[in-house]
Amino acid sequence: MRIIIPILALLIISGCEKSNNHMTDTSTKPPTLSKDEALSIMNEVLDDFEFIHQSMLSGASLHKAAPTRSQPIVMSVPTMSERDPDKVGKVAADSIFVYGDTATINGVLHCVVVTEKHAYPKGLLLITKSSKYAPSNTRGIASVTDRYISWNQFSAGTPEQRTESIIQPQFSSGTDSTIEAHVSRTKGSVTLSETFRFTSPAVTIDVSKGTRVVRSADPLAGQIVSATYDQATGVLLSKRATGQATPPPYGGFYTQSYTFTNGELASWVKTTTLGQADHSVVKTIERYP
């Protein structure tokens, strides 16, 4: 799901290598995902993990039930946009729900945390359901995001579009900051799959905030790191690291955010989350100081 602040300018200075998972011949090349699409997906995934981190810190109650068309009773973060309740069932505004769940992935039971956004762009329903977890068979973090454009699709579990991604820290020659992103997007009967290696940090500039976000990997710690700098002064403002919680059970992940004052560490807070089959979330919060 997409939970990001609009960015007015985007600057990519990362090196990138692409591995095409499709079979090709000299006469016909199938459509593929572009580097920019993969980077956009990666940024969305990392922003979603940050949203979960902030949700765990909010102190909101997580009820043991998933949202339904008639009874959305999980932790809800309503947006400012109000809609006609006669057109959208029981939800009169765009809402985001957060709850736990479990899923069998590659034959292994995983704990997942779900964010679900019910939105009404131009008065039309759009449900974005995104499951976040740490995979059991590799290092890194993973996401499965389904987008539905009708209640029938949502009830049947047949999304209009599905995006699956695994984001991993990797060692590479000459640098320890390579992010490897395995991305697959399915719409109808067409699936596009690519593997990208961002061999240099990916940089995003938010002109409206005057900040620069640098995303890279820390392979030794098994983390994906997002560092935010003041664009004018270059001073480090905050840093966020997301990685795999120690199993068992599989699927748990952590996010640790650091705040800085004049470039010096002022505090940090770490959340570790495990989704549960009853839709609750077990969370652990650590702080400094």
Side-chain angles (χ1 to χ4, degrees):
M1 64 179 287
R2 190 177 181 87
I3 314 174
I4 58 176
I5 296 173
I7 296 173
L8 299 182
L10 179 66
L11 173 64
I12 305 169
I13 62 172
S14 60
C16 180
E17 303 169 2
K18 181 178 76 171
S19 172
N20 191 335
N21 292 338
H22 288 287
M23 297 297 292
T24 62
D25 57 36
T26 57
S27 60
T28 304
K29 291 185 178 181
T32 63
L33 289 170
S34 69
K35 178 184 72 174
D36 288 346
E37 287 175 311
L39 181 60
S40 177
I41 291 169
M42 183 179 76
N43 284 335
E44 285 185 33
V45 169
L46 293 173
D47 286 338
D48 282 356
F49 273 94
E50 165 67 5
F51 178 80
I52 292 172
H53 174 64
Q54 295 300 329
S55 298
M56 296 302 105
L57 294 174
S58 70
S61 175
L62 290 170
H63 298 279
K64 296 182 179 181
T68 67
R69 181 176 182 177
S70 61
Q71 193 180 28
I73 58 174
V74 194
M75 187 185 79
S76 173
V77 185
T79 69
M80 295 301 293
S81 177
E82 294 186 355
R83 307 295 179 186
D84 183 350
D86 292 333
K87 294 181 180 179
V88 297
K90 298 296 183 179
V91 182
D94 297 354
S95 295
I96 301 170
F97 308 96
V98 181
Y99 55 94
D101 208 341
T102 57
T104 300
I105 303 166
N106 295 323
V108 179
L109 186 68
H110 286 68
C111 300
V112 302
V113 177
V114 181
T115 57
E116 187 173 308
K117 182 178 182 180
H118 295 219
Y120 306 91
K122 298 182 180 180
L124 302 175
L125 175 67
L126 174 63
I127 299 175
T128 305
K129 181 178 179 180
S130 184
S131 299
K132 297 290 183 288
Y133 64 97
S136 62
N137 60 346
T138 187
R139 303 171 78 196
I141 52 178
S143 170
V144 178
T145 299
D146 293 325
R147 286 184 167 87
Y148 305 89
I149 60 174
S150 73
W151 284 112
N152 288 337
Q153 283 186 345
F154 183 64
S155 298
T158 54
E160 182 77 8
Q161 177 179 283
R162 166 169 285 195
T163 303
E164 302 176 64
S165 54
I166 298 176
I167 302 172
Q168 302 171 282
Q170 296 285 347
F171 288 105
S172 63
S173 58
T175 178
D176 289 339
S177 63
T178 295
I179 299 176
E180 187 167 281
H182 305 270
V183 181
S184 177
R185 174 164 283 170
T186 300
K187 187 171 184 178
S189 60
V190 178
T191 298
L192 305 179
S193 299
E194 302 288 352
T195 296
F196 290 87
R197 289 173 64 87
F198 296 92
T199 55
S200 298
V203 179
T204 303
I205 296 174
D206 188 337
V207 176
S208 64
K209 287 188 170 184
T211 58
R212 173 169 51 96
V213 178
V214 180
R215 282 174 163 151
S216 60
D218 181 349
L220 285 175
Q223 300 173 337
I224 304 297
V225 179
S226 299
T228 301
Y229 298 84
D230 184 286
Q231 177 64 4
T233 65
V235 173
L236 179 62
L237 303 176
S238 64
K239 185 171 70 172
R240 182 175 76 250
T242 301
Q244 199 168 42
T246 303
Y250 292 109
F253 56 87
Y254 70 85
T255 297
Q256 188 165 0
S257 57
Y258 305 80
T259 56
F260 296 83
T261 301
N262 298 323
E264 298 293 330
L265 178 65
S267 63
W268 59 256
V269 59
K270 178 180 180 181
T271 61
T272 304
T273 62
L274 285 169
Q276 304 293 292
D278 63 1
H279 301 305
S280 63
V281 177
V282 175
K283 62 180 180 180
T284 302
I285 299 176
E286 304 168 71
R287 298 179 186 271
Y288 168 83

